[in-house]
Every structure is written in C-alpha cells, then in structure tokens.
Amino acid sequence: MRSGGQDAGTATPHHITRHAHPKARPEPLPGDDIPRATGIDYLALLGEQHDRQAAGRVNYAALASPPAGSPGQQEEEGDSRG
C-alpha cells in the first residue's frame, strides 16, 4: 500500500469483534435454556397441602336438601306461580 508516493506498509484486515461491557454476562448457548431438575416435586407438595386443607372441612348441612316448608322454598314456589 502506498500513500503520497511512499510505502505505508502491508494492509491487513481489521477483525471487528462484538463489544461487550466487562461485567456483562455472556449470552447463553443454545440448549442452556433447558430447565434443570431441582429435586422438588411441586405437584406432590400442592397435593399434600390441598389434602391438609380439605381434611375435616366438609359441610354436611349444605349437602342435605332443605326440609319441606322452609322459608326459602316458599318464596321460590310463590314466585313461580305468579
């Protein structure tokens, strides 16, 4: 390479690399985003918690039909006739 009639040296290509801040984390490689096993069975934990919460909380009065002649039934029957 010449500049102004004088030899300026051998031209070499400049390799441009990606600029990154020194504290920046490197980009993940393909396959690094695969979740890793933690050893915790969350579904089993939720099932156990549900079983503990549901134990002893059955409202049997709500399961039985209301007795005949209860105030709630009379109002409903009166509305359906008129």
Side-chain angles (χ1 to χ4, degrees):
M1 184 166 151
R2 297 187 72 76
S3 174
Q6 295 182 335
D7 190 19
T10 306
T12 57
H14 179 70
H15 180 66
I16 300 174
T17 60
R18 179 175 174 170
H19 172 73
H21 192 273
K23 292 185 180 180
R25 283 182 253 134
E27 292 182 4
L29 298 173
D32 281 351
D33 56 348
I34 298 172
R36 291 173 175 75
T38 61
I40 300 172
D41 188 359
Y42 289 102
L43 189 57
L45 292 174
L46 287 173
E48 291 170 6
Q49 181 183 10
H50 176 265
D51 293 344
R52 282 193 307 270
Q53 289 177 350
R57 288 192 176 182
V58 177
N59 184 1
Y60 292 104
L63 296 176
S65 61
S70 67
Q73 277 188 337
Q74 290 174 354
E75 291 175 11
E76 290 175 7
E77 290 173 3
D79 291 341
S80 63
R81 292 181 189 167

